[in-house]
Amino acid sequence: KAGVTQTPRYLIKTRGQQVTLSCSPISGHRSVSWYQQTPGQGLQFLFEYFSETQRNKGNFPGRFSGRQFSNSRSEMNVSTLELGDSALYLCASSPPVAGGTDTQYFGPGTRLTVL
Amino acid sequence: KQEVTQIPAALSVPEGENLVLNCSFTDSAIYNLQWFRQDPGKGLTSLLLIQSSQREQTSGRLNASLDKSSGRSTLYIAASQPGDSATYLCAVTDYNTDKLIFGTGTRLQVFP
């Protein structure tokens, strides 16, 4: 089975721009979660989508949004970029198990740099 | 609010040593605890997952234990190798929020 794929792998943007990141989960996985990783804050949960619905959300401003398509692929969007948005954005998928008890499989991440 | 702490933050050891990495969490209401490995600039690889009802899991040279009541987990690495050099992250799936909460990691370097 192919793993979780994320595109693009690297991205450079300037303040004020917006960006869209894409994640394709492992085939058969319906849950997709997004995380932000920075040296200062570590790994922080952004949101989770399941069957095209946002199931959970972290403590990030409304500039961060996401969606999931019927084929379980997911995108996240960050509008009005700030320097502090520079981070590694990781996507993870997990099999359809209730209660969050299964392993999450992570993609390689998208490295976003905001200048 | 669930918080996860990992000690030590960094560790440098010679090849062949047995290692113990520590993880503690503040709220025992968890579904499970996972240990991940992250190589520089890369994504995370799941190493071991311990359900809340379990005490330990083993995979090869790795053994992870869980003491839910005291909010602690340890990852034991036997006979360390240079290829084990990476950052090791502990994470709990919080029962109350359904979120995966990560620790800040232990950066391990194993030198020949």
Side-chain angles (χ1 to χ4, degrees):
Chain A
K1 259 188 188 178
V4 177
T5 58
Q6 292 187 245
T7 56
R9 293 292 314 280
Y10 303 91
L11 208 47
I12 299 175
K13 292 284 187 179
T14 55
R15 278 181 297 174
Q17 287 188 308
Q18 75 163 20
V19 67
T20 299
L21 312 182
S22 181
C23 171
S24 293
I26 292 172
S27 177
H29 289 191
R30 290 161 59 191
S31 169
V32 173
S33 299
W34 288 90
Y35 297 85
Q36 181 196 64
Q37 186 176 30
T38 59
Q41 299 296 320
L43 261 159
Q44 293 186 288
F45 172 77
L46 279 156
F47 26 65
E48 179 197 5
Y49 286 87
F50 181 82
S51 293
E52 303 179 65
T53 302
Q54 188 179 86
R55 189 160 70 171
N56 211 340
K57 188 177 185 305
N59 298 321
F60 279 81
R63 302 184 297 107
F64 291 81
S65 62
R67 59 178 175 167
Q68 186 180 35
F69 302 95
S70 58
N71 62 358
S72 294
R73 189 177 71 85
S74 178
E75 289 181 346
M76 68 162 279
N77 184 276
V78 188
S79 61
T80 319
L81 283 166
E82 301 177 359
L83 294 178
D85 297 333
S86 294
L88 182 67
Y89 289 88
L90 292 163
C91 163
S93 72
S94 56
V97 175
T101 59
D102 212 331
T103 300
Q104 293 195 10
Y105 297 84
F106 281 78
T110 293
R111 171 75 63 186
L112 172 65
T113 302
V114 182
L115 303 176
Chain B
K1 179 188 168 188
Q2 180 74 265
E3 292 182 359
V4 181
T5 305
Q6 290 186 246
I7 294 173
L11 192 57
S12 183
V13 300
E15 182 176 8
E17 281 210 358
N18 300 323
L19 310 170
V20 175
L21 308 183
N22 296 293
C23 171
S24 60
F25 46 97
T26 55
D27 189 340
S28 62
I30 62 170
Y31 282 112
N32 57 46
L33 182 143
Q34 297 181 67
W35 284 93
F36 292 91
R37 167 188 173 136
Q38 186 175 31
D39 293 286
K42 303 284 181 63
L44 277 64
T45 300
S46 179
L47 298 172
L48 291 163
L49 179 147
I50 311 175
Q51 303 289 359
S52 62
S53 58
Q54 297 175 323
R55 298 283 294 182
E56 67 176 339
Q57 283 287 337
T58 298
S59 176
R61 295 183 293 107
L62 305 179
N63 175 276
S65 66
L66 173 64
D67 184 341
K68 201 175 69 163
S69 60
S70 68
R72 294 175 192 270
S73 175
T74 59
L75 178 66
Y76 178 82
I77 303 176
S80 59
Q81 302 171 357
D84 294 330
S85 299
T87 295
Y88 290 80
L89 292 151
C90 160
V92 298
T93 304
D94 183 71
Y95 182 86
N96 293 313
T97 63
D98 257 354
K99 294 175 184 174
L100 191 59
I101 310 295
F102 283 87
T104 48
T106 293
R107 191 169 66 252
L108 172 66
Q109 183 182 14
V110 181
F111 54 90

mmCIF file of all heavy atoms in Angstrom, chain B residues 71-107:
data_model
loop_
_atom_site.group_PDB
_atom_site.id
_atom_site.type_symbol
_atom_site.label_atom_id
_atom_site.label_comp_id
_atom_site.label_asym_id
_atom_site.label_seq_id
_atom_site.Cartn_x
_atom_site.Cartn_y
_atom_site.Cartn_z
ATOM 1 N N GLY B 71 0.698 8.067 35.193
ATOM 2 C CA GLY B 71 0.932 8.961 34.060
ATOM 3 C C GLY B 71 2.330 8.867 33.496
ATOM 4 O O GLY B 71 2.941 9.894 33.165
ATOM 5 N N ARG B 72 2.844 7.641 33.384
ATOM 6 C CA ARG B 72 4.213 7.486 32.891
ATOM 7 C C ARG B 72 4.320 6.376 31.849
ATOM 8 O O ARG B 72 3.602 5.379 31.912
ATOM 9 C CB ARG B 72 5.151 7.140 34.042
ATOM 10 C CG ARG B 72 5.320 8.225 35.073
ATOM 11 C CD ARG B 72 6.189 7.692 36.234
ATOM 12 N NE ARG B 72 6.145 8.594 37.367
ATOM 13 C CZ ARG B 72 6.990 9.593 37.558
ATOM 14 N NH1 ARG B 72 7.955 9.812 36.700
ATOM 15 N NH2 ARG B 72 6.887 10.373 38.615
ATOM 16 N N SER B 73 5.274 6.588 30.940
ATOM 17 C CA SER B 73 5.638 5.559 29.979
ATOM 18 C C SER B 73 7.146 5.613 29.782
ATOM 19 O O SER B 73 7.761 6.685 29.872
ATOM 20 C CB SER B 73 4.939 5.779 28.639
ATOM 21 O OG SER B 73 5.386 4.851 27.665
ATOM 22 N N THR B 74 7.742 4.470 29.518
ATOM 23 C CA THR B 74 9.156 4.434 29.181
ATOM 24 C C THR B 74 9.334 3.670 27.879
ATOM 25 O O THR B 74 8.605 2.718 27.602
ATOM 26 C CB THR B 74 9.998 3.761 30.273
ATOM 27 O OG1 THR B 74 9.533 2.429 30.452
ATOM 28 C CG2 THR B 74 9.911 4.507 31.584
ATOM 29 N N LEU B 75 10.291 4.124 27.103
ATOM 30 C CA LEU B 75 10.706 3.420 25.892
ATOM 31 C C LEU B 75 12.115 2.912 26.132
ATOM 32 O O LEU B 75 13.034 3.705 26.372
ATOM 33 C CB LEU B 75 10.672 4.333 24.667
ATOM 34 C CG LEU B 75 11.148 3.696 23.356
ATOM 35 C CD1 LEU B 75 10.180 2.588 22.920
ATOM 36 C CD2 LEU B 75 11.298 4.735 22.254
ATOM 37 N N TYR B 76 12.261 1.604 26.076
ATOM 38 C CA TYR B 76 13.561 0.964 26.298
ATOM 39 C C TYR B 76 14.115 0.539 24.939
ATOM 40 O O TYR B 76 13.435 -0.136 24.171
ATOM 41 C CB TYR B 76 13.368 -0.245 27.215
ATOM 42 C CG TYR B 76 14.606 -1.042 27.492
ATOM 43 C CD1 TYR B 76 15.516 -0.643 28.459
ATOM 44 C CD2 TYR B 76 14.865 -2.215 26.784
ATOM 45 C CE1 TYR B 76 16.653 -1.387 28.722
ATOM 46 C CE2 TYR B 76 15.995 -2.968 27.037
ATOM 47 C CZ TYR B 76 16.874 -2.554 28.016
ATOM 48 O OH TYR B 76 18.002 -3.289 28.270
ATOM 49 N N ILE B 77 15.342 0.976 24.648
ATOM 50 C CA ILE B 77 16.018 0.591 23.409
ATOM 51 C C ILE B 77 17.226 -0.244 23.784
ATOM 52 O O ILE B 77 18.137 0.243 24.475
ATOM 53 C CB ILE B 77 16.466 1.821 22.590
ATOM 54 C CG1 ILE B 77 15.275 2.725 22.279
ATOM 55 C CG2 ILE B 77 17.149 1.367 21.301
ATOM 56 C CD1 ILE B 77 15.654 4.018 21.545
ATOM 57 N N ALA B 78 17.230 -1.481 23.347
ATOM 58 C CA ALA B 78 18.335 -2.377 23.669
ATOM 59 C C ALA B 78 19.416 -2.295 22.601
ATOM 60 O O ALA B 78 19.138 -2.129 21.413
ATOM 61 C CB ALA B 78 17.821 -3.806 23.777
ATOM 62 N N ALA B 79 20.660 -2.409 23.060
ATOM 63 C CA ALA B 79 21.807 -2.482 22.150
ATOM 64 C C ALA B 79 21.734 -1.413 21.062
ATOM 65 O O ALA B 79 21.629 -1.733 19.866
ATOM 66 C CB ALA B 79 21.916 -3.878 21.547
ATOM 67 N N SER B 80 21.776 -0.165 21.454
ATOM 68 C CA SER B 80 21.570 0.944 20.513
ATOM 69 C C SER B 80 22.584 0.920 19.364
ATOM 70 O O SER B 80 23.734 0.442 19.510
ATOM 71 C CB SER B 80 21.664 2.275 21.254
ATOM 72 O OG SER B 80 22.917 2.412 21.871
ATOM 73 N N GLN B 81 22.125 1.434 18.208
ATOM 74 C CA GLN B 81 22.943 1.465 16.997
ATOM 75 C C GLN B 81 22.926 2.891 16.434
ATOM 76 O O GLN B 81 21.971 3.643 16.683
ATOM 77 C CB GLN B 81 22.350 0.511 15.956
ATOM 78 C CG GLN B 81 22.241 -0.921 16.414
ATOM 79 C CD GLN B 81 21.450 -1.779 15.444
ATOM 80 O OE1 GLN B 81 20.930 -1.307 14.436
ATOM 81 N NE2 GLN B 81 21.359 -3.073 15.751
ATOM 82 N N PRO B 82 23.933 3.274 15.642
ATOM 83 C CA PRO B 82 23.925 4.621 15.044
ATOM 84 C C PRO B 82 22.652 4.906 14.256
ATOM 85 O O PRO B 82 22.178 6.044 14.224
ATOM 86 C CB PRO B 82 25.161 4.597 14.139
ATOM 87 C CG PRO B 82 26.094 3.655 14.827
ATOM 88 C CD PRO B 82 25.206 2.579 15.392
ATOM 89 N N GLY B 83 22.065 3.889 13.651
ATOM 90 C CA GLY B 83 20.826 4.065 12.901
ATOM 91 C C GLY B 83 19.629 4.403 13.771
ATOM 92 O O GLY B 83 18.574 4.798 13.258
ATOM 93 N N ASP B 84 19.782 4.298 15.095
ATOM 94 C CA ASP B 84 18.699 4.678 16.017
ATOM 95 C C ASP B 84 18.676 6.185 16.249
ATOM 96 O O ASP B 84 17.751 6.702 16.875
ATOM 97 C CB ASP B 84 18.862 3.970 17.365
ATOM 98 C CG ASP B 84 18.700 2.466 17.271
ATOM 99 O OD1 ASP B 84 17.952 1.998 16.393
ATOM 100 O OD2 ASP B 84 19.343 1.755 18.079
ATOM 101 N N SER B 85 19.690 6.884 15.768
ATOM 102 C CA SER B 85 19.751 8.336 15.971
ATOM 103 C C SER B 85 18.566 9.018 15.300
ATOM 104 O O SER B 85 18.347 8.880 14.094
ATOM 105 C CB SER B 85 21.066 8.892 15.395
ATOM 106 O OG SER B 85 22.172 8.322 16.051
ATOM 107 N N ALA B 86 17.798 9.733 16.088
ATOM 108 C CA ALA B 86 16.574 10.383 15.622
ATOM 109 C C ALA B 86 15.955 11.084 16.825
ATOM 110 O O ALA B 86 16.472 11.004 17.936
ATOM 111 C CB ALA B 86 15.584 9.364 15.056
ATOM 112 N N THR B 87 14.825 11.753 16.577
ATOM 113 C CA THR B 87 14.039 12.302 17.679
ATOM 114 C C THR B 87 12.896 11.342 17.967
ATOM 115 O O THR B 87 12.207 10.885 17.044
ATOM 116 C CB THR B 87 13.496 13.692 17.339
ATOM 117 O OG1 THR B 87 14.599 14.599 17.189
ATOM 118 C CG2 THR B 87 12.588 14.212 18.447
ATOM 119 N N TYR B 88 12.713 11.036 19.240
ATOM 120 C CA TYR B 88 11.658 10.118 19.657
ATOM 121 C C TYR B 88 10.553 10.914 20.349
ATOM 122 O O TYR B 88 10.815 11.667 21.287
ATOM 123 C CB TYR B 88 12.232 9.040 20.577
ATOM 124 C CG TYR B 88 13.118 8.089 19.820
ATOM 125 C CD1 TYR B 88 14.433 8.436 19.520
ATOM 126 C CD2 TYR B 88 12.640 6.868 19.356
ATOM 127 C CE1 TYR B 88 15.238 7.588 18.784
ATOM 128 C CE2 TYR B 88 13.440 6.014 18.625
ATOM 129 C CZ TYR B 88 14.738 6.381 18.336
ATOM 130 O OH TYR B 88 15.537 5.535 17.600
ATOM 131 N N LEU B 89 9.338 10.738 19.853
ATOM 132 C CA LEU B 89 8.193 11.488 20.358
ATOM 133 C C LEU B 89 7.188 10.544 20.993
ATOM 134 O O LEU B 89 6.882 9.479 20.451
ATOM 135 C CB LEU B 89 7.518 12.252 19.218
ATOM 136 C CG LEU B 89 8.343 13.392 18.623
ATOM 137 C CD1 LEU B 89 7.999 13.607 17.176
ATOM 138 C CD2 LEU B 89 8.103 14.670 19.415
ATOM 139 N N CYS B 90 6.686 10.975 22.114
ATOM 140 C CA CYS B 90 5.632 10.253 22.815
ATOM 141 C C CYS B 90 4.339 11.041 22.609
ATOM 142 O O CYS B 90 4.375 12.279 22.598
ATOM 143 C CB CYS B 90 6.035 10.179 24.285
ATOM 144 S SG CYS B 90 4.739 9.860 25.453
ATOM 145 N N ALA B 91 3.222 10.344 22.443
ATOM 146 C CA ALA B 91 1.946 11.039 22.259
ATOM 147 C C ALA B 91 0.825 10.218 22.875
ATOM 148 O O ALA B 91 0.845 8.988 22.796
ATOM 149 C CB ALA B 91 1.667 11.271 20.776
ATOM 150 N N VAL B 92 -0.140 10.909 23.479
ATOM 151 C CA VAL B 92 -1.307 10.233 24.031
ATOM 152 C C VAL B 92 -2.550 10.686 23.276
ATOM 153 O O VAL B 92 -2.653 11.849 22.874
ATOM 154 C CB VAL B 92 -1.490 10.508 25.540
ATOM 155 C CG1 VAL B 92 -0.292 9.989 26.329
ATOM 156 C CG2 VAL B 92 -1.737 11.975 25.829
ATOM 157 N N THR B 93 -3.483 9.764 23.075
ATOM 158 C CA THR B 93 -4.789 10.125 22.544
ATOM 159 C C THR B 93 -5.664 10.431 23.750
ATOM 160 O O THR B 93 -6.022 9.524 24.513
ATOM 161 C CB THR B 93 -5.394 9.005 21.692
ATOM 162 O OG1 THR B 93 -4.484 8.670 20.654
ATOM 163 C CG2 THR B 93 -6.714 9.449 21.086
ATOM 164 N N ASP B 94 -5.953 11.690 23.911
ATOM 165 C CA ASP B 94 -6.678 12.168 25.082
ATOM 166 C C ASP B 94 -8.149 11.759 25.017
ATOM 167 O O ASP B 94 -8.821 11.989 24.011
ATOM 168 C CB ASP B 94 -6.541 13.699 25.158
ATOM 169 C CG ASP B 94 -7.193 14.280 26.390
ATOM 170 O OD1 ASP B 94 -6.643 14.061 27.483
ATOM 171 O OD2 ASP B 94 -8.232 14.936 26.259
ATOM 172 N N TYR B 95 -8.643 11.145 26.092
ATOM 173 C CA TYR B 95 -10.018 10.633 26.118
ATOM 174 C C TYR B 95 -11.045 11.761 26.039
ATOM 175 O O TYR B 95 -12.081 11.638 25.394
ATOM 176 C CB TYR B 95 -10.221 9.821 27.404
ATOM 177 C CG TYR B 95 -11.582 9.188 27.539
ATOM 178 C CD1 TYR B 95 -11.844 7.946 26.971
ATOM 179 C CD2 TYR B 95 -12.596 9.824 28.242
ATOM 180 C CE1 TYR B 95 -13.085 7.354 27.092
ATOM 181 C CE2 TYR B 95 -13.849 9.240 28.364
ATOM 182 C CZ TYR B 95 -14.085 8.004 27.792
ATOM 183 O OH TYR B 95 -15.322 7.436 27.900
ATOM 184 N N ASN B 96 -10.754 12.860 26.685
ATOM 185 C CA ASN B 96 -11.736 13.945 26.778
ATOM 186 C C ASN B 96 -11.866 14.755 25.492
ATOM 187 O O ASN B 96 -12.944 15.264 25.181
ATOM 188 C CB ASN B 96 -11.378 14.883 27.929
ATOM 189 C CG ASN B 96 -11.520 14.206 29.274
ATOM 190 O OD1 ASN B 96 -12.531 13.550 29.544
ATOM 191 N ND2 ASN B 96 -10.512 14.326 30.115
ATOM 192 N N THR B 97 -10.771 14.879 24.742
ATOM 193 C CA THR B 97 -10.797 15.730 23.543
ATOM 194 C C THR B 97 -10.638 14.936 22.255
ATOM 195 O O THR B 97 -10.802 15.494 21.170
ATOM 196 C CB THR B 97 -9.659 16.773 23.595
ATOM 197 O OG1 THR B 97 -8.404 16.070 23.584
ATOM 198 C CG2 THR B 97 -9.764 17.645 24.832
ATOM 199 N N ASP B 98 -10.293 13.653 22.366
ATOM 200 C CA ASP B 98 -10.039 12.813 21.185
ATOM 201 C C ASP B 98 -8.845 13.294 20.373
ATOM 202 O O ASP B 98 -8.709 12.926 19.205
ATOM 203 C CB ASP B 98 -11.266 12.787 20.266
ATOM 204 C CG ASP B 98 -12.050 11.489 20.406
ATOM 205 O OD1 ASP B 98 -11.566 10.597 21.126
ATOM 206 O OD2 ASP B 98 -13.117 11.372 19.799
ATOM 207 N N LYS B 99 -7.998 14.123 20.955
ATOM 208 C CA LYS B 99 -6.851 14.655 20.220
ATOM 209 C C LYS B 99 -5.591 13.892 20.591
ATOM 210 O O LYS B 99 -5.437 13.407 21.718
ATOM 211 C CB LYS B 99 -6.653 16.142 20.554
ATOM 212 C CG LYS B 99 -7.775 17.030 20.069
ATOM 213 C CD LYS B 99 -7.570 18.459 20.536
ATOM 214 C CE LYS B 99 -8.760 19.324 20.120
ATOM 215 N NZ LYS B 99 -8.670 20.684 20.670
ATOM 216 N N LEU B 100 -4.678 13.844 19.635
ATOM 217 C CA LEU B 100 -3.365 13.257 19.868
ATOM 218 C C LEU B 100 -2.460 14.383 20.378
ATOM 219 O O LEU B 100 -2.206 15.349 19.661
ATOM 220 C CB LEU B 100 -2.835 12.661 18.568
ATOM 221 C CG LEU B 100 -1.602 11.764 18.625
ATOM 222 C CD1 LEU B 100 -1.850 10.562 19.514
ATOM 223 C CD2 LEU B 100 -1.209 11.316 17.225
ATOM 224 N N ILE B 101 -2.003 14.246 21.616
ATOM 225 C CA ILE B 101 -1.195 15.284 22.260
ATOM 226 C C ILE B 101 0.243 14.782 22.331
ATOM 227 O O ILE B 101 0.508 13.718 22.915
ATOM 228 C CB ILE B 101 -1.687 15.591 23.681
ATOM 229 C CG1 ILE B 101 -3.199 15.846 23.694
ATOM 230 C CG2 ILE B 101 -0.918 16.771 24.275
ATOM 231 C CD1 ILE B 101 -3.627 17.062 22.933
ATOM 232 N N PHE B 102 1.150 15.569 21.755
ATOM 233 C CA PHE B 102 2.552 15.158 21.670
ATOM 234 C C PHE B 102 3.403 15.771 22.766
ATOM 235 O O PHE B 102 3.164 16.895 23.220
ATOM 236 C CB PHE B 102 3.138 15.588 20.324
ATOM 237 C CG PHE B 102 2.739 14.726 19.175
ATOM 238 C CD1 PHE B 102 1.573 14.971 18.469
ATOM 239 C CD2 PHE B 102 3.532 13.650 18.791
ATOM 240 C CE1 PHE B 102 1.202 14.170 17.405
ATOM 241 C CE2 PHE B 102 3.169 12.841 17.731
ATOM 242 C CZ PHE B 102 1.994 13.102 17.037
ATOM 243 N N GLY B 103 4.439 15.031 23.148
ATOM 244 C CA GLY B 103 5.501 15.594 23.961
ATOM 245 C C GLY B 103 6.481 16.337 23.073
ATOM 246 O O GLY B 103 6.347 16.327 21.841
ATOM 247 N N THR B 104 7.472 16.966 23.669
ATOM 248 C CA THR B 104 8.431 17.771 22.909
ATOM 249 C C THR B 104 9.585 16.946 22.354
ATOM 250 O O THR B 104 10.383 17.448 21.583
ATOM 251 C CB THR B 104 8.997 18.911 23.770
ATOM 252 O OG1 THR B 104 9.413 18.376 25.018
ATOM 253 C CG2 THR B 104 7.940 19.981 24.000
ATOM 254 N N GLY B 105 9.658 15.684 22.734
ATOM 255 C CA GLY B 105 10.622 14.802 22.110
ATOM 256 C C GLY B 105 11.944 14.672 22.836
ATOM 257 O O GLY B 105 12.344 15.530 23.626
ATOM 258 N N THR B 106 12.619 13.569 22.571
ATOM 259 C CA THR B 106 13.993 13.341 23.023
ATOM 260 C C THR B 106 14.845 13.141 21.780
ATOM 261 O O THR B 106 14.578 12.240 20.977
ATOM 262 C CB THR B 106 14.090 12.096 23.921
ATOM 263 O OG1 THR B 106 13.397 12.324 25.137
ATOM 264 C CG2 THR B 106 15.555 11.771 24.219
ATOM 265 N N ARG B 107 15.846 13.991 21.624
ATOM 266 C CA ARG B 107 16.750 13.884 20.479
ATOM 267 C C ARG B 107 17.887 12.950 20.858
ATOM 268 O O ARG B 107 18.671 13.242 21.750
ATOM 269 C CB ARG B 107 17.273 15.252 20.088
ATOM 270 C CG ARG B 107 18.003 15.279 18.747
ATOM 271 C CD ARG B 107 18.276 16.688 18.263
ATOM 272 N NE ARG B 107 19.207 17.379 19.126
ATOM 273 C CZ ARG B 107 18.862 18.363 19.950
ATOM 274 N NH1 ARG B 107 17.622 18.791 20.027
ATOM 275 N NH2 ARG B 107 19.771 18.951 20.708
#
